[in-house]
Amino acid sequence: MASLKLKGIDKVYPSGTVALYDVSFETKDREFIVVYGAEQSGKSSLMRAITGLEEVTSGEVFIDGNNLTEADPKDRDVTLVRANSTLSPTMTVYDNMGFGLKLRKVSQSVIDQRVKAAASILGISDVLYRKPKVLNAAQKKRAEIGRAIVREPKLYLWDEPISGLDEKLRAEIINVIINLQARMEGTFIYFTKDLSEALTIGTRIVVLKNGFVQQIDTPSNLYDYPENAYVAFCIGSPTVNFINNARIEKTEEGVFAVEGNIKLPLPENILKRFEKCEEYANTGKSVIVGIRPEDIECTGGNIHSTVTVAEGDYFEVAADGHVFKLKRAGVNKGDEVNIKPDLTRLYLFDGETRLTLLARDAGYEDTGYADAEFKPLSYGEEEELKEKFKPKKDKKRR
């Protein structure tokens, strides 16, 4: 068995910076989970908390049901693969891979067995007795991974291991890691700021922002059922189109999301999920409307717009003070188009809290994970907590 459970992990630095707040989730045995977030999201702090490289302010770390919050890194049975891992230039690949086991006084027969087995899995058996300087980039990265996996730990942590590699090599190493996970006994936890990596690798993704968990779910659920506007913005490339400061209007003709001259009728499937519609209809409370680029057609609609950018796979249009991105469809800069959003795939978020207003329906993939029920804090609550932890300055005596 190899599982990880984090319970209420907080990390607040003396400066008052909240690196992590109430981070709680649990993996299953042999799961491949991704921790995704931008710079300063808390990924590195969480990685160090799991490995024991940094003490947490509060909370508990369980590995295989054992509380190891106070345990030293060497006692946690965790291995870490970093982007900047390096091989000793004076040792062969074989000696590099077996060095950690040798330090732990593992018998030579076991070292030989594990190193050769890992080399076979990684496809580097033919370079085992060569020095790193004669290896190509792919062989070096495979050897670095091999050095970590020969320990056969319970948890494998991957700290942006392919950062800085060219596109071809990145794809190659990603496939290596995916195949490894299918063959190894341990649980994989992969930290990245690259969305494509997260969506390709993870069975589930933990979305972090400024130390706060935003959502924990499968890639498809994050895309279709984001818990707040931030998750909707993160999951997708290019990002979702937002109409801010919209209002909900209810008339005899139906229910509409309105901002300026843009008036979008809310279809029945959206209204069924909009459980608080009456709290917003004709009250002036603002909402954020989200529409993904792939859910907008450039013809047949009633939103008149002008193409402002027509490059690559997507293009942009300007409509009534808003900019929308759409999939490229044979248009040129300056063309006049009438865009048509698929209203059955709208997202609605509260204008202040930025939390979703739409309940999950039958399309939601129920994974059975309790973490999927996690609800993030509102934008205002996060800001209040950041302010709360800031050191209080002493008032100068008069």
Side-chain angles (χ1 to χ4, degrees):
M1 294 292 290
S3 63
L4 170 71
K5 181 178 180 180
L6 302 179
K7 188 176 180 180
I9 296 296
D10 293 342
K11 180 62 184 181
V12 182
Y13 291 105
S15 63
T17 300
V18 181
L20 298 169
Y21 180 78
D22 195 25
V23 177
S24 301
F25 65 85
E26 185 171 1
T27 71
K28 288 186 177 180
D29 183 38
R30 301 183 66 178
E31 186 180 4
F32 201 144
I33 194 165
V34 172
V35 178
Y36 167 76
E39 296 289 349
Q40 307 299 318
S41 63
K43 298 189 305 296
S44 295
S45 295
L46 184 57
M47 179 269 295
R48 291 194 296 268
I50 295 170
T51 58
L53 295 173
E54 189 167 310
E55 292 183 2
V56 298
T57 304
S58 60
E60 296 172 303
V61 178
F62 296 85
I63 297 176
D64 272 0
N66 300 311
N67 190 335
L68 300 180
T69 310
E70 304 296 332
D72 291 335
K74 63 182 178 63
D75 298 324
R76 298 193 181 206
D77 203 10
V78 174
T79 193
L80 175 62
V81 181
R82 298 176 182 269
N84 58 356
S85 297
T86 56
L87 302 171
S88 172
T90 62
M91 294 182 182
T92 63
V93 171
Y94 180 99
D95 290 332
N96 266 286
M97 290 174 63
F99 186 67
L101 295 176
K102 187 176 181 179
L103 288 179
R104 290 172 173 79
K105 302 188 184 304
V106 176
S107 69
Q108 184 57 43
S109 62
V110 173
I111 292 175
D112 191 65
Q113 178 186 4
R114 290 191 184 180
V115 168
K116 289 180 178 178
S120 177
I121 292 172
L122 292 166
I124 53 173
S125 297
D126 58 335
V127 298
L128 265 182
Y129 300 102
R130 297 180 186 178
K131 298 286 182 67
K133 67 179 180 180
V134 300
L135 305 182
N136 60 37
Q139 291 168 334
K140 286 180 181 179
K141 180 57 69 173
R142 288 169 183 255
E144 291 165 5
I145 293 172
R147 183 175 54 186
I149 69 172
V150 293
R151 284 183 47 209
E152 298 182 2
K154 290 184 173 69
L155 295 180
Y156 296 79
L157 269 59
W158 306 81
D159 184 19
E160 302 192 48
I162 62 173
S163 176
L165 303 181
D166 63 55
E167 186 174 345
K168 181 179 178 181
L169 185 52
R170 287 167 67 95
E172 179 180 332
I173 299 304
I174 281 290
N175 285 330
V176 168
I177 294 172
I178 292 173
N179 290 331
L180 267 178
Q181 196 274 335
R183 301 181 66 167
M184 306 302 288
E185 293 296 326
T187 294
F188 280 36
I189 305 170
Y190 192 101
F191 296 81
T192 183
K193 59 178 177 289
D194 187 290
L195 177 63
S196 63
E197 287 177 32
L199 297 177
T200 300
I201 294 175
T203 53
R204 289 190 301 150
I205 300 174
V206 180
V207 181
L208 275 180
K209 184 191 75 169
N210 298 330
F212 296 89
V213 175
Q214 305 298 306
Q215 191 168 345
I216 307 171
D217 220 322
T218 65
S220 59
N221 283 341
L222 291 174
Y223 179 91
D224 290 322
Y225 299 89
E227 284 295 319
N228 59 26
Y230 181 78
V231 174
F233 177 81
C234 286
I235 308 299
S237 180
T239 59
V240 65
N241 298 295
F242 284 132
I243 301 175
N244 296 309
N245 300 314
R247 300 290 187 273
I248 300 299
E249 292 185 1
K250 187 174 183 179
T251 69
E252 293 181 356
E253 299 175 347
V255 182
F256 303 85
V258 181
E259 205 293 308
N261 292 325
I262 295 179
K263 187 174 184 179
L264 304 175
L266 301 184
E268 188 62 28
N269 73 308
I270 295 297
L271 290 175
K272 284 182 178 179
R273 296 174 58 200
F274 192 178
E275 296 177 333
K276 299 180 180 179
C277 182
E278 296 304 322
E279 295 182 19
Y280 289 81
N282 303 329
T283 65
K285 293 177 68 173
S286 68
V287 299
I288 301 169
V289 179
I291 313 170
R292 294 201 181 276
E294 51 270 37
D295 293 330
I296 308 177
E297 296 180 6
C298 67
T299 58
N302 58 6
I303 302 177
H304 186 73
S305 56
T306 304
V307 178
T308 55
V309 177
E311 299 175 356
D313 295 330
Y314 290 81
F315 67 97
E316 294 182 5
V317 301
D320 194 37
H322 297 277
V323 175
F324 296 96
K325 290 183 179 179
L326 293 80
K327 278 190 175 181
R328 190 69 188 271
V331 297
N332 298 303
K333 185 176 180 179
D335 287 353
E336 302 288 319
V337 294
N338 293 312
I339 64 174
K340 180 182 179 181
D342 181 353
L343 301 177
T344 66
R345 294 186 56 80
L346 290 180
Y347 302 96
L348 290 177
F349 307 96
D350 181 274
E352 292 187 6
T353 68
R354 305 183 187 178
L355 300 177
T356 185
L357 295 173
L358 302 181
R360 296 168 179 173
D361 58 13
Y364 180 82
E365 178 190 1
D366 186 2
T367 60
Y369 289 100
D371 300 330
E373 301 302 319
F374 170 81
K375 300 297 180 184
L377 297 175
S378 69
Y379 174 77
E381 289 171 329
E382 287 185 5
E383 294 302 306
E384 287 177 7
L385 282 166
K386 292 178 191 176
E387 192 64 31
K388 173 185 174 181
F389 286 113
K390 287 183 180 178
K392 300 297 185 292
K393 295 181 179 180
D394 294 332
K395 294 181 179 180
K396 294 182 179 180
R397 294 182 179 178
R398 294 183 179 179

